[in-house]
Amino acid sequence: MKKITIGEAARRSGVKVPTVRYYESIGLLAAPGRSEGNQRSFEPADINRLAFIRHARELGFEIEAIRTLLTLQDDPHQSCASADAIAKARLVEVEQRIRSLTALKAELEIMVEGCGHGRVDQCRVIEVLADHGQCTHSHH
């Protein structure tokens, strides 16, 4: 079987070459074999692993969560309870972020609607930004 170069691995997995090297450096991807010219030489399983990591990153999973998920993937006969727990924790984070963004959106809408489109010394946007106490929601 033909070995896969780092550029081809990056293209097939959707992960940029420097990111492939980074994942290798932090141990998410095993160091690939080397060609006679000392170039990295990837296997199809490496491409699948890179695609898995990319997808997990797109979903917002942190590196350590991905490391755990990869460990679980490497031993497919064990319980998926840990994977479920990681996904549920990420879901809670997303739900909290949605609530925060919804409150932020509402505050910005009030700020923009309150603007009389006059001069800056009468601008509601500037007033609210200058005095957080005028906000109707807490943004933490």
Side-chain angles (χ1 to χ4, degrees):
M1 182 186 304
K2 181 180 178 245
K3 299 294 183 171
I4 303 165
T5 65
I6 192 169
E8 182 64 14
R11 188 188 68 73
R12 289 186 191 181
S13 66
V15 175
K16 294 181 179 178
V17 169
T19 307
V20 173
R21 290 186 187 114
Y22 172 70
Y23 291 157
E24 180 186 341
S25 75
I26 64 170
L28 288 184
L29 182 67
R34 297 281 181 155
S35 69
E36 288 182 21
N38 203 30
Q39 292 183 326
R40 288 172 174 84
S41 183
F42 294 88
E43 303 285 339
D46 297 321
I47 309 307
N48 293 338
R49 192 170 184 94
L50 284 167
F52 180 97
I53 296 167
R54 179 188 50 77
H55 190 208
R57 292 296 292 152
E58 287 172 351
L59 292 173
F61 288 98
E62 298 294 329
I63 293 293
E64 288 311 309
I66 294 170
R67 188 181 310 281
T68 301
L69 291 167
L70 288 167
T71 300
L72 293 169
Q73 184 185 44
D74 291 341
D75 185 8
H77 299 292
Q78 61 185 317
S79 167
C80 69
S82 295
D84 288 345
I86 291 168
K88 285 176 185 171
R90 180 65 188 131
L91 179 58
V92 167
E93 292 170 5
V94 168
E95 289 169 340
Q96 289 171 343
R97 183 78 175 138
I98 288 170
R99 283 192 297 277
S100 176
L101 287 171
T102 300
L104 177 60
K105 178 182 180 276
E107 191 63 47
L108 288 169
E109 287 172 344
I110 290 168
M111 190 185 304
V112 169
E113 288 168 7
C115 183
H117 306 291
R119 295 188 326 261
V120 170
D121 65 351
Q122 300 168 341
C123 181
R124 179 75 180 139
V125 173
I126 299 298
E127 281 180 33
V128 172
L129 290 174
D131 181 3
H132 188 67
Q134 292 188 36
C135 288
T136 58
H137 299 90
S138 176
H139 305 291
H140 299 296

